[in-house]
Each structure stands twice: as C-alpha cells, then as structure tokens.
C-alpha cells in the first residue's frame, strides 16, 4: 500500500485582493519547501474557471490522500482576522453565491472581511498589507496541520474537527 500524502489546494485569484490569500499561501508554502503537494499560487491560480480541472486531478492522482483546501472567506465582524480550520473541506466561492462541490478533507479559511450586501466589493476592496499578514498566518496554520497529519498518519482513526484560531 502506498503511503498517504498530503495535498494542499490554495484557491483564489490574484485579480481580487481579498481573494488572493490562497495564491499567496501557495507561494509561501512552495518557498518554504513544505513536504506535501501544493497546487495554486500567484502564477497558477485555482479559480472558479479551473476548479473542475483540479477536482479531476485530485480524483486521478490523489485518491486516498488528505486534501487541505485553503481559501479566503467572509464572516461575522468578530471573525475578521481569524483562521478557521474545518472538517469536510470547504466550498469555494460560497461568499459570492456559488454552490459547487465541497473541496478537500480539511478546509482552512482566512476570514478577510465581513459579509455584506456586496461581498464582491468587500473582497475587491481589501487592504494588501492585511491580506499579506493573513496569508502568512494561514501558511503557518497549514504548516502546523501538515506536521500534525504527518505525526498522526499511523492512526487511521484520526478525526479532523472544526477549530478557529485567533
């Protein structure tokens, strides 16, 4: 039996500042030579137009592997600036009303703004310094998850519950 791998899918686009957390995290993880597969960065964004291709890639090349999906999110005012780690992956584009399939086994959501009447405007109007800080914080969270998963890989009963980090 092949060893289970960790795959990180960094979702978002550099074209919208608030949605650029995922690609920025991909850049950071690749620069750090993290010990896992990383898809999505500032050069090769995983956006709504490409998500189906990456879902097929996961099914074809990473069946049985643990997939961590990373994306920006909008939430309640008190959650802005938090990184949320959730079980059962995440739904990319949810803030913009998209209803695609969930991606990943674990979701890492960087809450970059407050939900509003115009969520796209909230994402588009993000502050680049805040977004970069959120990307750094998110990358650190992913590093910790990859380390934890590596240590827990021998235990097939490991459960991935929901957690929020300040």
């Amino acid at each position: 039996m092949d060893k289970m791998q960790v795959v990180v899918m960094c979702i978002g686009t550099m074209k919208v500042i608030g949605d650029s957390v995922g690609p920025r995290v991909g850049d950071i993880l690749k620069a750090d030579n993290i010990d896992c597969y990383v898809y999505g960065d500032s050069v090769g964004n995983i956006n709504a137009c490409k998500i189906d291709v990456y879902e097929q890639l996961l099914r074809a090349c990473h069946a049985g592997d643990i997939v961590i999906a990373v994306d920006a999110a909008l939430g309640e005012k008190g959650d802005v600036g938090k990184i949320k780690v959730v079980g059962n992956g995440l739904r990319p584009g949810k803030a913009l009303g998209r209803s695609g399939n969930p991606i990943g086994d674990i979701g890492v959501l960087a809450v970059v703004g407050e939900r509003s009447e115009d969520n796209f405007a909230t994402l588009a109007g993000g502050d680049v310094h805040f977004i970069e800080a959120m990307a750094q914080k998110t990358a650190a969270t992913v590093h910790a998850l990859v380390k934890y998963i590596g240590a827990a890989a021998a235990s097939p009963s490991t459960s991935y519950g929901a957690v929020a980090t300040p």
Side-chain angles (χ1 to χ4, degrees):
M1 182 176 173
D2 292 335
K3 181 181 173 194
M4 180 177 53
Q5 301 290 318
V6 177
V7 178
V8 181
M9 296 253 322
C10 299
I11 302 164
T13 178
M14 295 302 289
K15 294 179 181 178
V16 179
I17 190 66
D19 196 34
S20 68
V21 171
R24 291 170 191 269
V25 169
D27 287 344
I28 294 165
L29 297 176
K30 288 178 177 184
D32 291 346
N33 292 314
I34 191 168
D35 188 23
C36 65
Y37 292 94
V38 178
Y39 297 106
D41 58 24
S42 62
V43 175
N45 295 176
I46 300 175
N47 56 32
C49 298
K50 299 177 187 174
I51 198 75
D52 293 341
V53 172
Y54 282 94
E55 286 179 307
Q56 291 173 9
L57 174 76
L58 290 176
R59 282 192 297 277
C61 300
H62 297 289
D65 291 342
I66 294 179
V67 178
I68 301 171
V70 177
D71 200 2
L74 299 175
E76 301 298 321
K77 185 176 185 174
D79 289 337
V80 175
K82 291 183 179 178
I83 309 300
K84 292 189 173 192
V85 178
V86 297
N88 300 318
L90 54 85
R91 290 185 187 270
K94 186 176 177 184
L96 300 177
R98 296 190 184 113
S99 59
N101 296 326
I103 304 287
D105 301 297
I106 301 170
V108 179
L109 297 161
V111 184
V112 298
E114 186 178 356
R115 275 190 294 267
S116 68
E117 296 269 329
D118 188 350
N119 288 334
F120 183 78
T122 301
L123 288 170
D127 174 80
V128 70
H129 299 292
F130 173 70
I131 296 302
E132 184 58 40
M134 289 297 291
Q136 292 289 338
K137 198 165 145 178
T138 305
T141 301
V142 172
H143 270 288
L145 279 169
V146 170
K147 184 176 180 181
Y148 173 79
I149 292 166
S155 176
S157 63
T158 300
S159 174
Y160 307 104
V163 181
T165 60

